[in-house]
Amino acid sequence: MKKILGLVAGILFSVHGLLIAQQQELAIIPAPKSVNMLSGTFQIDAATPIIAATESARKSAALFNEFLAAEHGISLKTSLIALPAKSIVLEEAGDFSSEEGYTLRVEPDKITITGKKAGLFYGLQSLLQLIQHTNGMLQVPGVVIEDAPAFGYRGIMLDVSRHFFTGDQIKKVLNLMAYFKFNRMHWHLTDDQGWRLEIKKYPKLTQVGAWRDSTIIGQYYDFKPFIYDGKPHGGFYTQEEAREIVRYAADRQITVIPEIELPGHTSAVLAAYPELGSFEVKDGSLPTGTIAANNEKGEPYDNDLGDAVPGYWGVHYNIYGPTEKVYGFLQEVLTEVMDIFPSEYIHIGGDEVPKDHWITSEIAQKVIKKEKLADEHELQSFFIRRIEQFLNKNGRKLIGWDEILEGGLAPNATVMSWRGEKGGIAAAKMGHDVIMTPNSHLYFDHYQAADKTTEPLAIGGFLPLEKVYSYSPIPDTLTSEERKYILGVQANLWTEYIPTNNKMEYFLFPRALALAEVAWMAREDKDYQAFTKHRLPARLRELEKMDVFFRIPEAKVNISKDEASGRHMVSIDPLVAQAKVYFTVDGHKADQTATLYSGPFATPIPGPNQQPLTLRYIIVTPEGRSSNQFEAEIKLP
Ligand code: ACM
């Protein structure tokens, strides 16, 4: 009897175990809040209709179809009314508790997605990620998913100033962002090295400001004086192209937030309109007093004269003058910007503003005196308040980098905390909204390996996948009341060292997938082991089919003791499904001539006085792309 009970318990246990295993094997990123597996599967074929009664549901169905066509070669018909066939039903429910939440129910004869507009879109993204292409059939496992995001702001910032990227590349990234349920694209459109948006009233911003004649090669510190590549670089988006990006993003539930930097990062503007700086222009040139600072650093480009768009990185001295002329200019620029971008937020930068020019500028010093300001920091705050009043009057909200706290925060400003979390914490304590984007965890221009020589040139830092995943946007030091001001998170992709589409994708992926879970999932539900066990490998395999040039991450290497044999076993599990691994344990190079990994192997054992062994391996994806060579010390547990 005991034996039978044991057997029954064993079967129950293994059924339960199987269910848990199945849940874990759903490869949706970000993982949904609640998953309950059902028996059976739904089979999608060309005869399966999508029932979509509302216009927004039909729009989302059309995008779902685009994906199906691209990835699985079929397209479904959309119907306004229910049909007797097995179908995918989109129920737009006005009373659904969350704007972005949804319920997805997959049964053998029907798939139902319920939610509001954004929720339906996200339900369809989850459905796409559930489709398994097996034996020529598209199958979806039976399941009930209830889902909603932890944070309302889930963003990625793309810098298109340091290097220009075409609208098609921006759309590719937006499409991927939507697939992983991001909802904000912060578009860094202006900086010292290029102005990228057509402004009708100020045509020289793009005629002059969008082009530089040369760019430094290598890392900023590699060559002093700098060596330039001698190649012109530039480009800009016409207003029509920018509107098209805004529409494309909106269809995918993404708001585009434009950034127009002020009062610093303005070399490209001043190259076009030098009279907007802090000094009076006489005979086409500027006084030299403050300009020597740059030259003392050995920077050969004399662009602080405002006569050329610089092709080197770092914080530049050029800043706007605090004049009525400049406020007028900015208001006219922002009026055109607001007409293109319906986003509630307009980002005004505010970061990295050296005050040298204001210290020596008669114009700036006069304003400080007249307005009874304590110093140049208060002058910056005064400047930004002027802009905030203008934005607020036009029904928009100002958002800026955390330096906007210095000299006093504008009354309704939202703070983007980038120099760690300090600025975000201070702003939340003052009752201001905050987006967390700390350079400790969310600067995707940082290196992805500790050994920089194994990676393509980056700005610096070291930000591995697991560190991104470990980030939690709510600082423990905040009270529950203050926590409400943390609206969400964003990764920043600065592009000083990212001039190509492949490199952009390499730095974004797979780290953006880790961020997707940080932004969508409750802190307590996140689990890096579960993320990398099945979800990430499945999605990276798919990203390869989608032609995304992601970085192939290090495999999971594990050494454990096999109790039966007493031997220590090494396992190497790549994070791309169906990838091959080639390895050596003798410390020599691993390439495709090395041993093909076929499962856990017993480690060779060095003698008592010998060095530990080094495992070297490469990962080769199903499409044949090879990773860097990785290594791990074989240390017995
Ligand atoms: C920044 O990284 N300067 C916001």
Side-chain angles (χ1 to χ4, degrees):
M1 186 64 188
K2 230 177 173 175
K3 234 184 191 164
I4 292 173
L5 275 181
L7 196 65
V8 170
I11 290 168
L12 282 178
F13 180 77
S14 60
V15 168
H16 180 68
L18 190 68
L19 278 183
I20 288 176
Q22 279 178 341
Q23 283 187 23
Q24 284 173 344
E25 295 209 352
L26 288 188
I28 299 171
I29 290 180
K33 204 165 163 171
S34 138
V35 172
N36 283 299
M37 300 306 294
L38 302 178
S39 57
T41 58
F42 183 97
Q43 206 164 303
I44 297 178
D45 57 43
T48 309
I50 303 177
I51 315 298
T54 63
E55 194 188 328
S56 66
R58 279 199 297 283
K59 210 174 231 179
S60 293
L63 294 175
F64 176 82
N65 255 332
E66 266 181 31
F67 186 99
L68 268 190
E71 298 308 312
H72 301 294
I74 67 164
S75 190
L76 309 184
K77 297 224 160 29
T78 305
S79 165
L80 286 172
I81 49 160
L83 296 172
K86 293 198 319 181
S87 42
I88 300 170
V89 181
L90 307 184
E91 288 179 351
E92 190 163 341
D95 58 351
F96 207 78
S97 59
S98 148
E99 287 296 323
E100 298 187 298
Y102 65 92
T103 301
L104 166 61
R105 191 176 180 89
V106 181
E107 295 165 289
D109 58 350
K110 190 177 177 188
I111 293 178
T112 316
I113 302 176
T114 314
K116 291 188 180 175
K117 190 171 148 199
L120 282 186
F121 180 82
Y122 290 138
L124 283 166
Q125 303 313 302
S126 291
L127 175 57
L128 284 171
Q129 295 193 17
L130 281 178
I131 295 172
Q132 289 161 9
H133 210 141
T134 340
N135 306 325
M137 291 188 297
L138 301 185
Q139 298 198 330
V140 187
V143 71
V144 180
I145 290 175
E146 313 230 11
D147 202 8
F151 293 97
Y153 185 115
R154 305 180 299 279
I156 291 181
M157 186 282 285
L158 297 179
D159 167 13
V160 292
S161 170
R162 274 53 178 268
H163 283 101
F164 177 72
F165 291 86
T166 63
D168 282 347
Q169 179 63 11
I170 301 299
K171 285 182 180 174
K172 182 175 180 183
V173 173
L174 284 167
N175 220 13
L176 291 162
M177 285 174 64
Y179 194 47
F180 298 108
K181 302 189 177 84
F182 288 97
N183 64 1
R184 297 286 188 282
M185 193 268 273
H186 166 178
W187 211 6
H188 188 77
L189 286 163
T190 74
D191 214 305
D192 292 300
Q193 295 81 6
W195 179 286
R196 305 282 175 230
L197 179 68
E198 177 192 26
I199 300 293
K200 306 247 191 223
K201 202 143 198 176
Y202 293 94
K204 283 199 287 181
L205 285 173
T206 45
Q207 286 165 359
V208 175
W211 309 95
R212 56 180 187 255
D213 59 14
S214 215
T215 304
I216 61 166
I217 63 165
Q219 230 283 343
Y220 191 82
Y221 304 100
D222 283 349
F223 307 101
K224 283 281 155 128
F226 297 135
I227 297 176
Y228 284 86
D229 65 4
K231 284 192 286 208
H233 177 85
F236 65 92
Y237 309 97
T238 64
Q239 294 202 351
E240 201 33 61
E241 286 167 340
R243 284 182 210 281
E244 165 63 16
I245 294 289
V246 168
R247 268 193 301 270
Y248 187 91
D251 284 348
R252 288 159 180 76
Q253 305 303 321
I254 296 172
T255 302
V256 180
I257 300 173
E259 180 179 355
I260 303 295
E261 277 265 23
L262 56 93
H265 290 281
T266 55
S267 297
V269 179
L270 298 192
Y273 298 102
E275 63 274 22
L276 299 175
S278 301
F279 304 101
E280 211 179 313
V281 183
K282 282 190 189 131
D283 306 325
S285 62
L286 293 159
T288 49
T290 56
I291 290 152
N294 254 8
N295 292 336
E296 277 165 23
K297 286 184 161 181
E299 286 156 359
Y301 245 48
D302 200 14
N303 41 54
D304 269 13
L305 286 168
D307 59 3
V309 177
Y312 68 94
W313 320 125
V315 175
H316 291 234
Y317 286 85
N318 280 316
I319 60 175
Y320 286 121
T323 64
E324 291 306 318
K325 187 187 196 114
V326 167
Y327 299 134
F329 163 81
L330 286 170
Q331 289 180 10
E332 286 173 338
V333 167
L334 290 171
T335 299
E336 292 191 31
V337 167
M338 288 186 290
D339 194 51
I340 301 165
F341 297 93
S343 158
E344 186 180 30
Y345 277 133
I346 303 292
H347 202 301
I348 55 80
D351 60 320
E352 299 176 326
V353 186
K355 304 296 184 304
D356 306 52
H357 283 193
W358 282 355
I359 291 169
T360 54
S361 151
E362 264 176 53
I363 302 169
Q365 291 304 317
K366 256 191 212 154
V367 179
I368 289 178
K369 213 173 258 161
K370 176 162 170 261
E371 302 296 337
K372 300 190 172 50
L373 304 171
D375 54 19
E376 291 73 25
H377 295 291
E378 285 198 5
L379 178 55
Q380 171 163 332
S381 178
F382 176 81
F383 191 116
I384 290 175
R385 279 169 208 251
R386 284 280 301 248
I387 301 300
E388 174 171 69
Q389 280 164 12
F390 176 73
L391 290 175
N392 289 170
K393 223 170 53 202
N394 285 280
R396 308 301 180 98
K397 279 187 178 163
L398 178 145
I399 183 166
W401 301 110
D402 58 50
E403 286 94 330
I404 65 171
L405 282 153
E406 293 161 10
L409 193 52
N412 307 310
T414 295
V415 171
M416 208 168 245
S417 190
W418 73 277
R419 295 174 300 175
E421 293 185 321
K422 227 171 46 232
I425 291 170
K429 285 187 181 296
M430 291 159 65
H432 284 254
D433 286 338
V434 171
I435 309 301
M436 285 296 189
T437 178
N439 53 2
S440 55
H441 289 76
L442 299 179
Y443 265 44
F444 282 7
D445 54 340
H446 288 185
Y447 281 100
Q448 297 184 71
D451 178 357
K452 296 177 172 46
T453 63
T454 64
E455 284 289 309
L457 171 63
I459 198 162
F462 171 41
L463 182 62
L465 186 63
E466 188 164 6
K467 188 166 181 191
V468 176
Y469 198 88
S470 73
Y471 185 61
S472 169
I474 309 271
D476 293 332
T477 50
L478 294 182
T479 65
S480 59
E481 194 47 43
E482 292 160 353
R483 287 171 191 207
K484 293 183 190 140
Y485 294 109
I486 311 292
L487 304 184
V489 285
Q490 173 176 291
N492 295 333
L493 192 73
W494 302 104
T495 59
E496 286 94 331
Y497 300 98
I498 302 181
T500 66
N501 292 347
N502 272 2
K503 206 166 177 186
M504 172 184 262
E505 292 164 25
Y506 186 94
F507 279 74
L508 280 176
F509 299 100
R511 290 183 290 198
L513 276 60
L515 176 63
E517 298 219 336
V518 170
W520 186 272
M521 295 172 71
R523 182 183 190 163
E524 59 277 13
D525 291 340
K526 281 194 304 155
D527 178 346
Y528 187 70
Q529 292 311 318
F531 171 67
T532 47
K533 185 174 179 356
H534 187 73
R535 299 202 282 281
L536 184 66
R539 295 277 75 95
L540 288 184
R541 170 72 187 107
E542 183 181 54
L543 285 186
E544 179 167 55
K545 289 186 193 157
M546 293 158 84
D547 217 11
V548 177
F549 199 84
F550 58 88
R551 177 181 186 270
I552 302 167
E554 290 79 355
K556 273 192 194 175
V557 174
N558 188 43
I559 303 180
S560 59
K561 193 165 173 184
D562 177 42
E563 292 306 335
S565 66
R567 299 288 308 267
H568 286 91
M569 308 296 289
V570 178
S571 66
I572 311 172
D573 293 309
L575 301 188
V576 182
Q578 296 150 25
K580 290 181 179 151
V581 176
Y582 296 88
F583 71 94
T584 65
V585 291
D586 57 11
H588 289 276
K589 178 179 170 163
D591 59 15
Q592 291 188 54
T593 65
T595 308
L596 176 63
Y597 178 77
S598 59
F601 59 90
T603 76
I605 300 168
N609 299 318
Q610 287 179 298
Q611 296 288 322
L613 294 173
T614 300
L615 169 74
R616 291 187 199 279
Y617 65 93
I618 59 164
I619 296 158
V620 179
T621 66
E623 312 287 327
R625 195 148 71 83
S626 182
S627 71
N628 294 335
Q629 177 182 254
F630 300 125
E631 61 178 57
E633 203 171 276
I634 303 186
K635 268 206 282 227
L636 301 182

